[in-house]
Amino acid sequence: MALADKLNKIRSPKLQNQREVCSFDLRSPPHQRISDHRKTAIVLSAVEDTLKEQKCDFTPTAYFAALLALLSQSISSSQGIINKELATSVVYLLDHVTSYVPVTLLRTKFSQILTSLAPALNPADIEAPLLRSSIGCLESLLVAQDSAAWALPPGQVGPRRALAGLLTLAVDHRPKVRKRAQDAVIYVLKSSPPSPAIDHPAADMCAETALRALNDMLAANATKKRKAKGHKQDDQNTPGLMHALQLIKTIAGASAGWPSKKIEALCEVLMTVSRSTNEYLTMAALEIFEIMFAGMANESSSSKLPRMMEAISELRPSQNDSQLLPPWIAVVSRGCDVSAQVEPEETFQKLPESFELISSYLASASHSIRVSASECLISFFVNCVPNSVILEPSVYDEKPLEKLGKLTTNLLTVRFQAAWIEVFSVLSAFFTALRWRSKSIADEIIQTIGELRSNESFNGKKEADSVLGSAIEAMGPEAVLQLLPLNLANPKAGQPGRAWLLPVLRDHVMNTSLAHFRSEFVPLSETMFRRVLDHGDSEKTMQIKIFETLVQQIWALLPGYCSLPLDMAVAFDQSFAELLSNVLYMQTELRVDVCRALQSLVESNQELLSSDASASDLLIQRKMNKADAQKNLDHLSSFASNFLSVLFNVYGQTLPQFRGHILQCINAFLSITPLHELSETFTSVITLLGPALAETTPQTQASKQKQKQSTAEKMPSQLHSLMDLVVTISSYLPRPTYPSLFSTAALVLPQSTDPQLQKKAYKLLPRIATSPTGILALQERNADLQSLLLSTAASATSPCRHDRLSAIATVVMHLPTSDLHFIPSILSEVVISAKEVNEKARTAAFDLLILMATKMSGGGTIRQSKIPHMDASAPEVAASLEEFFTMVSAGLVGSTPHMVSASVTALTRILYEFHKELSKATVEDMLETIFLFLTSPSREIVRSVLGFVKVAIISLPTVLLQPRLQTVLPGLISWSREHKAQFRAKVKHILERAIRKFGYAEIERWTPEGDRKFLANIRKAKDRAKRKKAEGATDGHSNQREGGTGKNVFESEYDAAVYSDSDEKDEEASDADEQKAKGRGGGTYILEDSDSPLDLLDRKALGSISSSKPVRGKVLAAKRGKVNIDGKLVIGMDSDDDDDPMVLDSNGNGNSGEISLEGGINAYVDAIKGRDSVQRGRGGRLKFSNKREKGTHGEAMDVDDEGEGRYERPVKAVRFGNGANGTNGARGGGLSGGRGGPNGKKYDPKSQRRGLGMAKVRGGRVVKSGERKGKETKNRGTGGR
């Protein structure tokens, strides 16, 4: 920006007012707030007046000289700040002017300016605004200095002395001052004077000052910790340390980076900081390393990299330092990454040494060290192995590769057994990086992993499979199987079978030799299949089923072998094609794999051809180039015609639910079939279709349903299969074949007796439109297609409505402007389809209406004389959007309610889409007309009108709707009394929208007096809902609302506008942030055990975290039950002795817990004749007494506040419940007795007998004290007595 523009902004009153509003100090008196911020403009005006009096031009030099004179009046080197307000304004203007002053003037006046500014650079006495402006002036001065000035010692008044003060300000406690000073330091260091040195002349001084500041802060922090005398003390000097680290980061991020001589000292200090327990300090230290490495990635600073790497390696921590080793390893990893970018070959030569150094830490007992070491080793393989080593390795690369192989193999020794999970990740990265170069150096790794995987007791099978999968992708399946043979055909003693390797091969085989499948797996499959055939028709044994499974697993490998094979031109010959054809014909269960394999052959090569990757990347990733892929496709195209014939035949022999993969395979081969062969294939299909179409018989829906019920596995007719093939071929056909294709469609479309056949024919037009040739054909034959669609309208069946609308949309999309009369000709059918039961048909009708409206809005002429049932003398009409709305509105005078309702629905949809493009008069006429239908007695019409009203309220402006509220609201509210078809709910939602748009008072004004109660109810419900949201209510209603919003996901904005609840769009959207905050913070609960807190690091901790509030339950104290000599549970005996539980002799002391003979007899008599005894009433029925004596029965288990389920008093009575619940009753067959016994076993009276004097059990639960008698179960059993 020019100086004049900056000064104009200072003069601008608007900017002055903005500064006053944004930054005035509330503590100052009101009469001073505005004047303080206008002083800068006043000073500038005074300077310009002075220059005018002296007849000087307004140049930067003139401004600079005048401002320096003013500066001497406001700041004195001896007295300091004389006039603070004037000094602030003058230094602010100097900050803007100094950068435009000639460099020679700044060099000559440097001492004078620096002496004048020195009092304003004292951070202790100066306020932040003046200090920031002073820093800006100092920055411009320092940038202008040359090498000679920078050579002056710091003791003299020169740039180094000024820069020292700037560095002091760079660690100031005020953020804005600190940021301004750091930006100035960066700019000064980047503006190095011309010299042969890489670094700025003052870079060493800056680095030394920053390091001294950081060391002083670390020493102060250490002293403070020592004085803490054992108390826990965090890093209290963290802000100062962070400021010092930020200064180092600033210097390291300069253009030339950190000075070379200070790298060792910096690395040592940063590693010391990394040991801090404060994670922010550790992150800041690592970030500085990252910035330093990033700066060394360019050529100018790359010479510093070896020195820094050497310094880092010398700072190697202790072997078991779990605090410092992870960050040190991360720094080494990043350094090697940068080194590989600068010098890839030399870095690879040194890679074995770095690998050996880091891999030793995998033997550490600390998990964090092992993880850091494994990630570093993985980064070595990812970043430090250049592509040249893989593609064209030199003689010098062989030795590092061998060393890497040996070092990686050593990771599988017992020494690293504790880190095998991390080792497996490193091995996977090893194979991925070295790819096929790992063949000769990784044999021992594969054999060791294979032996481990074959061991049944090995727990790392999943990780071992991942390593072997990476080896298969890198080396190929042939190399892996040579080391780990399957041993399935002829197993020998001591050579275990490796059938588990087949799924691993299936998931990882790709881009390999197809000949290996033919030589290895085809004979194996024949051997296994022969064993299945030799078994005959007898019942299959487990071994035969295993053989069948092996055959399927073997052929499941074929899609991987066919994914970009390297030898397809040789391996895929006539014999192999015949083999695949025979498998397709004979083995129905293998058709999916074979079809996927053939499809992969085509599509993988096509994908390579369309790839944007470079040739070298393709070679290293796929070992092929685009020329090889094109040769493969040319080779495959010679088999395309024969394979299509085979696939067509197989398609006709396959049930409809299993045809999808065959059609995909047919599509793939059609894309590479030569045009002349494609024409011949199409002609053959059409030839077969003609006789089949002539032999077709009428088929109604009822007969088809009857046929479907008779046999669900019957093959479809040949006619349907041929029509499917015609639709599939249609998008690949050449131009000459389209006449016969369209004639076939003209024959099939009138076939109303076969809806499925008609449906397939309508799919032709959208399918043809997917190819450029088909689009040209559609444009040429558009008139014929219009006549065909109009003539078949009467014969179109309901199941094909969606496909017919798609066909009409295809014709309309390519409709010329001269044939726009087709739109009104077909419009009535489209409008009626808006009320179809099928959702897809409705959606297609809405989309077609929008397409028609868009077509009409593009202009053109409608020849009404060509519209069916129109007079030949009808005039032409200009096409427009308003005209289309008029056409649709014609349906409002329909003779049936269904037609009127469909027209209203269609108008609703296109109004929502085009309401901004319609004229005001058109919208007003539409509103007046449709609002009249609110008085219609037809519910079907009114239902559509309600949707229209809702869309109008949402979309249209208030000016159009407010004058019509007087007529709309009475008719609208009258339907709130109708409870059928949710009319009341619809009206309520519309009124909620209207209240939100027009206000409650306006709606109440035009509401009839008798219906205002309904309106008041809506307002109260909304206020209540708002209060619940404000209070953060979590009751059932709010949960239901939250659950409902998750289900109401609409496919379009129109559906959301018409069908959504009013709360889901405006009100809930306005509170979205609040609801998200509540969902994140307040909706998560932790279920903790009372004994110990939840361990969040445990993998099972997720099972104890709930999104719903846990209910405090009454948990019985865990107690080990006693059993009798028969092993059955004994209830009611709390004695801790080990005596025989069947002994009844006791002293009767309640403290002993034993049962005396006298007490047992008394309990027996009480059970027979007591108050709770069973008695017979009238008719011999059993009667049970419901009376309870206080203190004897029904006392409950009280749970304390902590929910630990402790007993406050002993349980007096427990009962078995009614057998009706099937749990514990006498007849339920539940867990504790009754007929059927436990789990339905035979009833055993002994298992239900309670001992003498034992407590009675009621329902298997503890009854609360004071429980209402009406809640007790009526049938109280006596334990099966």
Side-chain angles (χ1 to χ4, degrees), residues 518-562:
R518 295 187 61 181
S519 61
E520 178 76 17
F521 290 103
V522 171
L524 180 61
S525 172
E526 293 175 354
T527 302
M528 297 299 168
F529 189 66
R530 191 178 302 111
R531 293 177 182 177
V532 175
L533 293 179
D534 293 343
H535 188 70
D537 297 333
S538 56
E539 184 179 358
K540 294 181 180 179
T541 62
M542 181 59 67
Q543 190 175 9
I544 297 301
K545 293 180 180 179
I546 291 175
F547 291 151
E548 291 179 344
T549 304
L550 288 175
V551 172
Q552 295 178 0
Q553 288 182 341
I554 289 170
W555 282 96
L557 305 178
L558 184 59
Y561 275 94
C562 291

Side-chain angles (χ1 to χ4, degrees), residues 49 132 189 199 309 644 713 962 1178:
D49 292 342
R132 292 201 304 270
L189 292 179
D199 298 326
M309 292 298 297
L644 284 176
E713 298 294 329
Q962 195 162 3
R1178 183 179 301 175

Side-chain angles (χ1 to χ4, degrees), residues 95-154:
D95 185 16
H96 286 73
V97 172
T98 308
S99 59
Y100 296 94
V101 176
V103 176
T104 54
L105 179 61
L106 294 178
R107 291 174 183 172
T108 56
K109 295 288 184 180
F110 179 80
S111 299
Q112 177 186 349
I113 300 171
L114 185 61
T115 304
S116 302
L117 281 177
L121 291 171
N122 187 1
D125 305 328
I126 306 304
E127 295 180 355
L130 177 57
L131 201 55
R132 292 201 304 270
S133 301
S134 302
I135 292 172
C137 296
L138 188 59
E139 173 189 332
S140 301
L141 283 172
L142 292 175
V143 169
Q145 304 308 307
D146 56 6
S147 301
W150 285 107
L152 295 175

Side-chain angles (χ1 to χ4, degrees), residues 458-495:
F458 182 61
N459 295 326
K461 291 184 173 62
K462 182 178 179 181
E463 291 78 7
D465 289 346
S466 177
V467 175
L468 291 176
S470 301
I472 291 170
E473 293 177 0
M475 302 167 55
E478 185 175 3
V480 174
L481 290 176
Q482 287 178 356
L483 300 171
L484 300 175
L486 293 174
N487 297 329
L488 295 178
N490 298 309
K492 300 178 181 179
Q495 296 181 359

Side-chain angles (χ1 to χ4, degrees), residues 1132 1134-1137 1144-1160 1253:
D1134 298 331
S1135 175
D1136 294 333
D1137 341 346
L1144 299 179
D1145 298 332
S1146 178
N1147 55 8
N1149 189 357
N1151 297 331
S1152 66
E1154 296 180 353
I1155 304 173
S1156 65
L1157 180 58
E1158 182 182 357

